[in-house]
Amino acid sequence: MKFGVFFAYWTHEWKGDYLKYARKVRELGFDMLEISPGQLLNMSRQELLEFKAVTKDLGLTISSNLGPPKEKDVASADPAVRKAGIQFQTDIMRAMDLVDSRVLVGVLYSYWPCDFTDTDKAANWERGVASIRELMKTAENLGITYCLEAVNRFETFIMNTSEEAVRFCKDVGSSNCKILLDTFHMNIEEDNIGDAIRHAGDYLGHLHVGEGNRKVPGKGHLPWDEIGRALKDIKYNAGVVMEPFVLDGGRVGHDIKVWRDLSGNADETKMDEDVKASLMFLKSKFL
Ligand SMILES: [Mn+2]
């Protein structure tokens, strides 16, 4: 397993100084940094190559976490929007290739945050599968593992559980297409988190970890022993990425619905200490 953390733990916006966070997370003991790959499209080729060189030097793996905007929804009823969505994700994967990021994860089958104006699940499912089949050619060519994230009912109507995500993935039918399970979402939707992980089995390509209130693992009540046992049962060996959100304010606080400070008024040093302690906690449960 590779242990990682999403840079937005520290930020109020979906962008940041990736060189800084690469160095920071390596220093804290992580193997993986998760980024928002939309930012890669605004970086020059020189900046992309520098980021690749720095992360390679650090021995850090980069995963890319995307919530496409509504106007780039690959499942939209509007063919022009679907086309823009396919182009957008193709451009993202090409930029990921330049920085040697080989894992794309998120609500890739829809848009995020969802506004629930069109909740025709069957139609969105079918269009999403067709678009993603097209995208898989790029993912396969670039060696990118493409992971569909099951998120809770307040964030999408398309897939809320491991069972639905696996079914969608089977409909796509590519060995590069996998699923992402997130303990925060599973805590809301699944009968049993361990069973949801076991159901995913080899389809599980990425795991997000966080407590039920999205604090770092170890600060809440999720069943980390059981989650660790399930990961051993399926011989899981891909990314385990913390996606904690504890700061209110900014676009991140708004999109994630963080309406109070959950960090204990932590400064950056305390934020670093918390995530480092959580990494040791997770390793003690998962390894
Ligand atoms: Mn997640």
Side-chain angles (χ1 to χ4, degrees):
M1 290 184 219
K2 278 190 160 56
F3 289 86
V5 59
F6 189 31
F7 85 98
Y9 168 61
W10 286 278
T11 67
H12 292 285
E13 302 301 324
W14 297 113
K15 57 182 191 238
D17 179 349
Y18 289 162
L19 290 175
K20 169 188 162 173
Y21 292 108
R23 293 187 180 107
K24 180 199 278 288
V25 306
R26 195 71 186 117
E27 180 75 28
L28 292 170
F30 290 93
D31 320 300
M32 190 179 248
L33 171 69
E34 191 150 295
I35 62 166
S36 290
Q39 186 175 328
L40 299 179
L41 301 181
N42 300 322
M43 288 162 69
S44 68
R45 193 181 169 84
Q46 189 54 41
E47 288 170 320
L48 294 172
L49 293 177
E50 187 191 2
F51 181 55
K52 177 184 171 176
V54 168
T55 54
K56 191 179 174 203
D57 198 43
L58 292 168
L60 200 64
T61 302
I62 303 300
S63 56
S64 296
N65 183 345
L66 182 67
K70 188 175 186 182
E71 61 277 12
K72 307 251 164 84
D73 171 11
V74 298
S76 169
D78 180 342
V81 172
R82 289 205 298 282
K83 192 171 170 218
I86 290 170
Q87 187 60 53
F88 177 60
Q89 290 197 35
T90 302
D91 293 343
I92 293 274
M93 285 193 274
R94 288 193 181 130
M96 286 170 58
D97 180 51
L98 287 176
V99 299
D100 199 21
S101 173
R102 303 291 157 193
V103 189
L104 178 60
V105 309
V107 183
L108 306 169
Y109 49 86
S110 185
Y111 64 99
W112 187 92
C114 182
D115 64 15
F116 298 97
T117 46
D118 167 14
T119 52
D120 184 341
K121 182 161 172 162
N124 276 272
W125 183 291
E126 195 177 321
R127 292 188 296 258
V129 167
S131 295
I132 291 174
R133 277 190 187 150
E134 245 182 85
L135 282 163
M136 290 322 294
K137 292 172 210 153
T138 304
E140 287 163 10
N141 284 339
L142 298 177
I144 288 173
T145 304
Y146 185 96
C147 302
L148 309 163
E149 180 168 13
V151 297
N152 75 72
R153 68 190 68 187
F154 305 108
E155 299 188 35
T156 191
F157 57 96
I158 297 178
M159 63 172 79
N160 302 136
T161 63
S162 174
E163 190 275 325
E164 289 184 306
V166 168
R167 190 148 43 83
F168 193 104
C169 199
K170 286 180 176 169
D171 284 358
V172 172
S174 158
S175 57
N176 285 57
C177 186
K178 304 255 184 186
I179 75 165
L180 156 57
L181 293 177
D182 180 321
T183 58
F184 162 72
H185 298 295
M186 286 193 279
N187 178 56
I188 296 172
E189 299 294 348
E190 303 286 358
D191 294 332
N192 180 292
I193 295 180
D195 287 347
I197 290 169
R198 281 182 279 265
H199 177 80
D202 288 344
Y203 283 98
L204 189 64
H206 201 71
L207 182 74
H208 277 164
V209 289
E211 292 288 356
N213 54 10
R214 309 203 91 158
K215 288 187 183 180
V216 295
K219 288 199 172 206
H221 62 82
L222 288 202
W224 299 108
D225 286 313
E226 167 64 5
I227 294 165
R229 275 195 297 277
L231 294 174
K232 281 176 196 145
D233 286 347
I234 66 166
K235 299 185 170 55
Y236 184 70
N237 65 359
V240 173
V241 172
M242 290 180 203
E243 199 186 22
F245 294 104
V246 294
L247 301 177
D248 56 333
R251 193 74 229 169
V252 175
H254 185 274
D255 286 348
I256 298 290
K257 316 287 188 283
V258 183
W259 309 121
R260 68 189 193 283
D261 172 63
L262 283 100
S263 75
N265 292 311
D267 59 11
E268 191 165 344
T269 305
K270 179 71 169 71
M271 296 273 291
D272 293 355
E273 286 167 9
D274 282 355
V275 84
K276 189 174 180 177
S278 179
L279 174 61
M280 309 226 270
F281 170 82
L282 265 188
K283 286 186 169 177
S284 77
K285 299 292 180 187
F286 290 4
L287 295 179

